[in-house]
Amino acid sequence: MPELYDTVISFKQLSSDFLKILDQEETFDVIIHVGDEIASESFKAHSIILRTRSEYFRAALSAAWKKKENGFFVIDLRGMSIPHAIFGHVLFYIYGAYLKIEKLGVTEKLQLLKAADILMMDAFVDYLEADLIKTEKSWVNEKSSEVLYVALQISRCKELVSLCNDAILRQPKTFISSKEFLFMPHDYVVSLVERDILGLDEIDIFAAVIMWGINNTPGISLADDFSTWTADNITTLQSNVIHLIQQIRFFQMPPDDFMKKVGPLTRVFAPELYDQVVEYHANTQFQFVYDVQPLRLNSTIIKENEEPALISYWINHPETDCDLPENLPFETFDKIPFDFHLIFRCPGNELAQTAWRDLCYNQGPTMTIIRTKNQNEDEAVFGGYKSISWSTENHDTHIGGNGFIFGYLWQQRKLLLPWMLRVNNHLDADMFLGDGVEVFIDFRHGEKLLAHANGFEDLEETIEELEVFRVVRKTTDEG
């Protein structure tokens, strides 16, 4: 059998020979019109190559579709969202099975991705998706809403969608503020607002749902004065957002914010819901028609329910030193016996002790969670639980409370290598978790995090983001 090197050389030669066929005008038998009404261009090619390389062209050149003009089959792609400026690259790939992809910008690659999907060229779609993930990852993370808008239109781009989702969950406010969000498919928006963990205030989620609904309701726009809407407009809008509205945690909104910012619109969409929320805050024994969903976890670091479930297990079982129990007792998010109220969030490069103290002092038990990156660009999560408040009084009396510190990796949607170390008395220091001797996590130094545990190598990591939550035990739980 030939060696791999010989096979590669043979493939390159074959590719080069096929590309030479593009220069043989005397053998062309197909004309392809590409572009739109404003700008278009015609390309010539060979029907036998097109049939072999694209399911779309195979169908277009079938006996039922054949139209010859002056000896050429004619295929009209105008108006099919394939820019004429990039179709030459499509033909190059059809003949040569590769692209000079390093010379293409990301926008061109996305245009090619859409064209490959339209032309039913699965191998080309896979080729472009793999390149975007491998060579354009930072750009995809930065422009995740733009990439996601394209990737969601292509069923094969599951890995690209997953990469975009990870980026969006890190910066959800940027995503819902983007113009692309307004055009996202209904099912995707539903899947987003269904999440129990989403790094947004509930009022921001509600506002995003309403804006998306208005943008996708014929006859009205975001520029309208609401008072000009007709009853039919409102009915259509209601039908567009009903499944989304059902996922909003109205009962968990601060009462004043609900009354001032949300109430007027809920009275339009669901007047019974408005009355129920008002009554809920006045009388928790009231019989509710609507389900009172649990408080959403407002985090851009925590990704999946497994994480708060594990942390809750550690809090709920102070006698255990088990890093990861065989079976977590909280099978669903609503069974977790604690609510985690976000009180502080900050990127690592903006951490300041004064701002942290203003928001984190006198909050009762807290959970701190920190996303870091090391010199190898590996990401990890560190954190800790403190059973009493950070406060001036506790600092002066040298009382730090008990709890634990922890860490884990998160790779390919899996929680890896979780560890937890108990702390009998946290050192009474701001932005510091642990006893200061045997185990500790120190985040008092701007972007730098120091982690120490006796018997293990000390770690120094760069803080990407930090969140602090007030931990409140639910009035009733099953854990």
Side-chain angles (χ1 to χ4, degrees):
M1 294 181 65
E3 296 293 331
L4 178 60
Y5 175 80
D6 296 331
T7 302
V8 171
I9 293 298
S10 296
F11 170 79
K12 286 184 175 180
Q13 184 61 53
L14 180 64
S15 174
S16 176
D17 290 344
F18 265 77
L19 285 168
K20 291 176 183 176
I21 301 175
L22 269 175
D23 297 325
Q24 298 176 7
E25 292 195 20
E26 68 278 6
T27 60
F28 289 144
D29 61 347
V30 180
I31 293 178
I32 307 167
H33 301 301
V34 185
D36 53 34
E37 295 179 357
I38 299 174
S40 63
E41 189 174 347
S42 297
F43 296 83
K44 292 181 180 180
H46 302 84
S47 59
I48 190 169
I49 302 292
L50 298 178
R51 288 173 189 269
T52 304
R53 299 283 285 155
S54 161
E55 291 296 326
Y56 177 89
F57 285 129
R58 178 177 297 183
L61 291 165
S62 66
W65 286 44
K66 283 182 183 178
K67 280 196 302 184
K68 270 202 169 186
E69 295 180 8
N70 300 320
F72 287 89
F73 299 117
V74 177
I75 299 175
D76 195 343
L77 299 181
R78 287 173 293 195
M80 291 184 64
S81 301
I82 302 177
H84 66 88
I86 63 103
F87 190 74
H89 298 300
V90 174
L91 276 183
F92 189 96
Y93 179 84
I94 286 175
Y95 281 76
Y98 79 100
L99 287 177
K100 296 175 181 177
I101 206 157
E102 68 281 355
K103 297 183 178 181
L104 299 176
V106 181
T107 300
E108 291 174 296
K109 291 177 183 180
L110 289 176
Q111 290 175 331
L112 283 168
L113 192 62
K114 289 192 287 187
D117 183 59
I118 290 169
L119 298 175
M120 303 167 66
M121 298 172 62
D122 290 349
F124 195 17
V125 169
D126 295 345
Y127 175 86
L128 291 163
E129 181 190 32
D131 173 78
L132 284 166
I133 292 171
K134 182 179 179 180
T135 67
E136 308 290 355
K137 191 171 182 178
S138 61
W139 195 95
V140 170
N141 283 329
E142 183 181 345
K143 304 289 186 180
S144 52
S145 58
E146 297 175 33
V147 180
L148 179 66
Y149 179 70
V150 174
L152 283 173
Q153 301 174 50
I154 303 171
S155 61
R156 295 183 68 84
C157 288
K158 292 182 173 59
E159 287 188 49
L160 193 56
V161 168
S162 179
L163 180 62
C164 291
N165 276 335
D166 287 344
I168 283 164
L169 293 176
R170 294 265 177 84
Q171 299 287 339
K173 201 154 192 174
T174 301
F175 175 59
I176 64 171
S177 301
S178 69
K179 65 180 185 297
E180 289 82 14
F181 171 76
L182 298 174
F183 298 93
M184 289 292 159
H186 175 268
D187 288 349
Y188 181 80
V189 181
V190 170
S191 71
L192 186 69
V193 299
E194 279 180 340
R195 289 183 59 85
D196 292 314
I197 303 171
L198 185 59
L200 292 167
D201 291 334
E202 207 65 32
I203 286 176
D204 291 334
I205 298 172
F206 174 75
V209 163
I210 297 303
M211 288 191 296
W212 181 91
I214 292 171
N215 191 68
N216 289 277
T217 299
I220 62 176
S221 76
L222 292 168
D224 290 346
D225 180 344
F226 293 174
S227 64
T228 64
W229 293 354
T230 66
D232 286 344
N233 291 151
I234 293 174
T235 299
T236 305
L237 178 56
Q238 285 176 322
S239 66
N240 281 346
V241 299
I242 183 64
H243 295 301
L244 300 168
I245 291 292
Q246 289 171 353
Q247 302 303 322
I248 304 296
R249 318 288 168 98
F250 292 103
F251 294 94
Q252 306 297 347
M253 292 178 178
D256 288 346
D257 284 348
F258 175 81
M259 297 289 288
K260 294 175 183 177
K261 301 176 182 178
V262 180
L265 276 173
T266 58
R267 294 179 95 166
V268 172
F269 296 111
E272 309 89 357
L273 175 62
Y274 176 85
D275 294 336
Q276 291 265 298
V277 175
V278 172
E279 185 65 29
Y280 171 79
H281 289 292
N283 175 16
T284 55
Q285 301 305 312
F286 186 70
Q287 296 297 310
F288 300 105
V289 175
Y290 290 85
D291 289 335
V292 180
Q293 295 173 291
L295 179 74
R296 202 188 304 264
L297 179 51
N298 183 348
S299 176
T300 58
I301 298 176
I302 294 174
K303 296 182 179 181
E304 300 296 338
N305 294 353
E306 184 180 0
E307 295 165 80
L310 180 59
I311 292 166
S312 296
Y313 172 82
W314 289 332
I315 297 173
N316 219 29
H317 296 83
E319 75 289 347
T320 185
D321 291 320
C322 177
D323 293 333
L324 183 63
E326 187 173 343
N327 294 301
L328 287 174
F330 317 120
E331 296 178 358
T332 57
F333 185 80
D334 62 303
K335 302 298 184 188
I336 291 174
F338 301 97
D339 282 332
F340 299 94
H341 298 260
L342 180 70
I343 57 176
F344 181 78
R345 174 184 290 141
C346 186
N349 59 6
E350 296 179 15
L351 271 178
Q353 195 167 10
T354 302
W356 177 89
R357 185 183 291 119
D358 289 344
L359 293 170
C360 298
Y361 261 38
N362 303 306
Q363 294 286 347
T366 54
M367 177 184 72
T368 300
I369 189 156
I370 307 166
R371 178 165 55 86
T372 69
K373 185 177 289 186
N374 62 24
Q375 293 179 341
N376 297 322
E377 297 295 306
D378 298 321
E379 290 192 353
V381 173
F382 293 87
Y385 170 72
K386 187 176 172 73
S387 63
I388 63 173
S389 289
W390 271 292
S391 69
T392 301
E393 180 183 356
N394 288 335
H395 180 77
D396 291 343
T397 55
H398 306 292
I399 299 175
N402 57 23
F404 53 85
I405 63 172
F406 64 89
Y408 55 83
L409 301 176
W410 188 264
Q411 294 178 356
Q412 298 179 344
R413 309 195 72 79
K414 290 183 179 180
L415 189 154
L416 301 177
L417 304 175
W419 57 265
M420 181 272 295
L421 297 170
R422 290 285 169 188
V423 178
N424 291 325
N425 188 35
H426 287 285
L427 188 69
D428 56 309
D430 291 348
M431 304 178 76
F432 190 98
L433 292 162
D435 59 17
V437 179
E438 294 188 1
V439 294
F440 63 81
I441 293 173
D442 183 357
F443 47 102
R444 297 173 294 181
H445 313 286
E447 287 185 85
K448 185 167 67 174
L449 176 140
L450 303 175
H452 167 81
N454 282 355
F456 296 91
E457 182 181 354
D458 288 352
L459 297 176
E460 180 176 321
E461 307 254 332
T462 300
I463 297 174
E464 295 280 298
E465 190 168 30
L466 180 144
E467 296 173 336
V468 182
F469 299 86
R470 180 164 53 90
V471 180
V472 179
R473 183 178 288 276
K474 295 176 182 176
T475 53
T476 59
D477 65 69
E478 302 177 26

